[in-house]
Amino acid sequence: MARVIIDDRWLKDSADGTPPSTAAARALASARDPFKAKVPEKWRSSRYGVGKRWRVRWLVIDDEGVRRQKSKMFDLLTDAEEFAAALEDDVRRGRYIDPDGGDKLFSKVAESWEETKIDVKDSTLLRYKRELRVYILPMWGKKMLREITRGDLQRWVKGLAVGNYPAKLPGKRQPKPLAARTIRNIVKVVMAGILDHAVENKWILDNPARAVKVPKAFVKDDDMVFLAIKEVEALANAAASVGRDVDGLLVRFQAAVGTRINEALALQVQDLNLKKGTARIRRTWTRNLDGKMELGTPKNGEARTVAIPDFLIPLLEQQIAGCAKDDYVFRAPRGGAIDDGNWRTRVWTKAIKALGMEDEGVTIHSLRHTYASIAIANGADVKTLQKQLGHATATMTLDTYAALWPDRLDNVAHAVSQAWESHKTKAKDKTEVKKDPKEYEQAA
């Protein structure tokens, strides 16, 4: 940003280049009515006596990289000089904020933020757009940035938690208390992301949403459903009965491998290495901005290799027999990919109802939770489970399934005690080494 300039809008140099005299400037400063001040006409500008006298101006680079002039008007020179000094200090310290930035409408800032989201999946952007449209804009869309305070945001969060908030919900649905995880996504991801964008563009100094407290998302055992193996088998058989054999295989695969449903449905024959008992998870089905399904990278953006239990190998070999390498492993009746939405309606829901489990909270994702519970019960460590499930971090795995790991504090204490006793025994053996014969002679 260029230097800050203060202009006198009322006085100018004369035609021959002579600047206003000190006497003329003093007369203008002391006069209540500028038109009664003894200022010769040659030094009066076209704006003389109209509006505020002093203008502070400076250059900024806008979002498109174009240099634009900004300005602010003042009645008194002292106020203009104070503003200019503060502005220059902010520039030097990297704290410059557009004085008019706070007047920007939040809805316009949100639009600008959306345009920067070119590094996220379409499905993620769709979720951002929905949370913005349904929960955020009804509350904040018509407010200016400077009107959004930490206190107001905190009260809004409380409203989201108890079901008291403005919302644009479909049909005649009314607002209801939102889950802690949903509130965190709305406030700390979307709302805070938009305000971060405003900070980055120097429209506001800091982001009030970052300091707001949101409900902590606890993952409880009763929030997830874990099935016994016999229940998985019953579901698989029911799915095969209302659908086809491949539907039963899909249920077993989900519960025994732990992939996400759309990762399994994106598997091609070439992704399987049944001799090694592995599958390469390199793609997943996701929805684009038009709401249509398309293939993309897995959730955390990275491909991974997962282990397949031995009992599934012959079933998968039978499923892919005679198939081309680019055929889908789990195929629709006509050979194409299975749409997870259609599969839920056509197979999953019917299988759940056939077993009388419709009120037990069992979802397709419960099969993934079931895999995790079986793996942990049989000795899987955090890092191994993280890789199999495709979590971004081991912390995420722990946060989700920590309660499933058995309490082994007594075992750990016993192992540490044994190590300590072993060390003490070795140390004692070293101190009891027989004395040198010469020492015995001297003692005699």
Side-chain angles (χ1 to χ4, degrees), residues 103-336:
D103 293 334
K104 289 184 177 293
L105 274 180
F106 178 84
S107 59
K108 295 298 183 182
V109 177
E111 288 178 11
S112 176
W113 172 78
E114 278 189 37
E115 292 173 357
T116 69
K117 298 290 102 180
I118 59 175
D119 58 340
V120 299
K121 291 184 178 180
D122 282 357
S123 57
T124 301
L125 185 55
L126 275 175
R127 191 181 78 243
Y128 290 167
K129 286 176 175 289
R130 178 182 179 276
E131 292 173 347
L132 186 60
R133 181 184 70 256
V134 175
Y135 300 107
I136 299 176
L137 289 180
M139 178 68 185
W140 306 104
K142 296 181 179 180
K143 290 186 178 293
M144 291 183 285
L145 289 177
R146 59 179 172 78
E147 296 178 300
I148 301 175
T149 67
R150 176 183 175 183
D152 288 340
L153 285 167
Q154 193 66 66
R155 284 184 283 275
W156 176 55
V157 169
K158 183 178 180 180
L160 294 174
V162 300
N164 181 22
Y165 53 88
K168 189 176 182 181
L169 296 167
K172 296 182 179 180
R173 286 175 53 191
Q174 296 298 314
K176 64 179 182 179
L178 300 180
R181 192 179 302 276
T182 301
I183 294 174
R184 180 172 292 274
N185 287 336
I186 292 170
V187 178
K188 291 297 187 179
V189 178
V190 183
M191 184 72 182
I194 294 169
L195 294 177
D196 277 342
H197 179 67
V199 172
E200 291 166 2
N201 282 278
K202 310 294 186 182
W203 296 329
I204 54 176
L205 181 60
D206 54 23
N207 183 347
R210 289 298 174 199
V212 169
K213 296 185 182 299
V214 296
K216 189 171 184 179
F218 291 100
V219 178
K220 302 177 183 178
D221 289 349
D222 57 4
D223 289 335
M224 296 183 285
V225 176
F226 304 100
L227 301 175
I229 291 177
K230 65 178 182 180
E231 292 175 312
V232 174
E233 281 297 315
L235 263 175
N237 291 333
S241 178
V242 300
R244 301 171 295 143
D245 287 344
V246 67
D247 299 312
L249 178 58
L250 179 58
V251 170
R252 292 185 177 93
F253 188 89
Q254 289 294 100
V257 181
T259 54
R260 301 175 179 91
I261 180 64
N262 277 311
E263 291 176 341
L265 295 178
L267 276 174
Q268 293 179 312
V269 173
Q270 61 187 332
D271 297 322
L272 298 181
N273 188 334
L274 298 183
K275 290 183 178 180
K276 290 186 176 181
T278 61
R280 187 66 174 165
I281 307 299
R282 58 189 179 86
R283 301 188 304 177
T284 188
W285 286 106
T286 184
R287 294 197 180 276
N288 60 25
L289 294 177
D290 296 324
K292 296 180 179 179
M293 298 297 289
E294 65 180 15
L295 288 169
T297 57
K299 191 170 183 179
N300 68 352
E302 296 182 0
R304 69 186 190 280
T305 298
V306 298
I308 301 174
D310 291 342
F311 83 91
L312 280 179
I313 301 299
L315 299 176
L316 288 169
E317 287 177 337
Q318 181 179 350
Q319 172 65 16
I320 65 175
C323 291
K325 65 178 183 179
D326 58 351
D327 285 341
Y328 291 107
V329 175
F330 303 101
R331 302 178 296 281
R334 295 185 179 181

Side-chain angles (χ1 to χ4, degrees), residues 369-385:
H369 293 324
T370 296
Y371 166 80
S373 67
I374 295 172
I376 292 170
N378 287 276
D381 60 82
V382 177
K383 289 299 292 183
T384 300
L385 191 60

Side-chain angles (χ1 to χ4, degrees), residues 235 238-239 242-244 247 250-251 254 259-265 284-287 293 299 332 337-354 358 361-369:
L235 263 175
V242 300
R244 301 171 295 143
D247 299 312
L250 179 58
V251 170
Q254 289 294 100
T259 54
R260 301 175 179 91
I261 180 64
N262 277 311
E263 291 176 341
L265 295 178
T284 188
W285 286 106
T286 184
R287 294 197 180 276
M293 298 297 289
K299 191 170 183 179
I338 295 174
D339 181 282
D340 73 306
N342 292 337
W343 190 79
R344 290 171 198 269
T345 303
R346 181 177 55 83
V347 177
W348 178 259
T349 301
K350 292 180 180 179
I352 290 292
K353 288 183 178 180
E358 60 266 36
V362 180
T363 67
I364 295 177
H365 209 67
S366 298
L367 299 176
R368 181 169 159 87
H369 293 324

Side-chain angles (χ1 to χ4, degrees), residues 26-39:
R26 189 182 301 116
L28 179 57
S30 60
R32 291 185 178 181
D33 183 350
F35 293 100
K36 294 181 179 180
K38 295 182 179 180
V39 178

